[in-house]
Amino acid sequence: MPPSLEQIQDEILDAIHAGEAIDAEGLLAAHPEHADDLRGFLDVIALVEGSADASGLPPARLGEFRILRELGRGGMGVVYEAEQTSLKRRVALKVLPPQLRMDVRLLARFKREAEAAGRLKHPGIVPVFGVGEAAGTPFFAMELVEGTTLQAVLAARRSGDDAAVPDGGQDWQCWAVETIARVADALAY
């Protein structure tokens, strides 16, 4: 049985989260029955990968969070370093960009990821401090973990450069949150 559009979109998002390049033409050729929908989906992903908003600048504030800088972006959001002003602490703030909020399925997936990650407790997993919405923008705040990016760690592992891979590094905490959240999401829904 051929995969559904939703399964293909999930595979695309998983590949983006893993830092893999997407072969748009190959996907469209492999799934002509979903070509129009996939083109639209890939266009939205390209917008998310391109800039934080129409001006290319991140918002200055989001609720009680003062945005300091962008840390990274992927298929399901943009992550900023922010200051939670009420507690005077630095956090990682994952935000669902405007281009994705219109898709009810992606909005639900973002919320399930936040809820699943928030239920997890383990020393190797970044804790979720809070979930919310400000000015129509869904977000969740997590502990800010300094270090190299997961993408850099995966690239180093692929190249066999073990010296560049942190030993039990903090990057794997971020990977664990996303991976476990996806597993919990799949099991719960």
Side-chain angles (χ1 to χ4, degrees), residues 121-189:
K121 185 175 179 175
H122 184 276
I125 297 174
V126 177
V128 172
F129 293 147
V131 177
E133 186 174 309
T137 302
F139 66 85
F140 59 98
M142 302 174 287
E143 177 182 353
L144 178 65
V145 177
E146 299 291 340
T148 57
T149 66
L150 176 59
Q151 194 170 28
V153 171
L154 292 174
R157 287 210 181 239
R158 286 187 193 117
S159 71
D161 184 5
D162 290 336
V165 178
D167 182 29
Q170 296 171 335
D171 303 301
W172 295 105
Q173 293 176 357
C174 295
W175 171 84
V177 166
E178 289 190 12
T179 301
I180 294 172
R182 279 193 229 153
V183 170
D185 181 38
L187 293 174
Y189 302 93

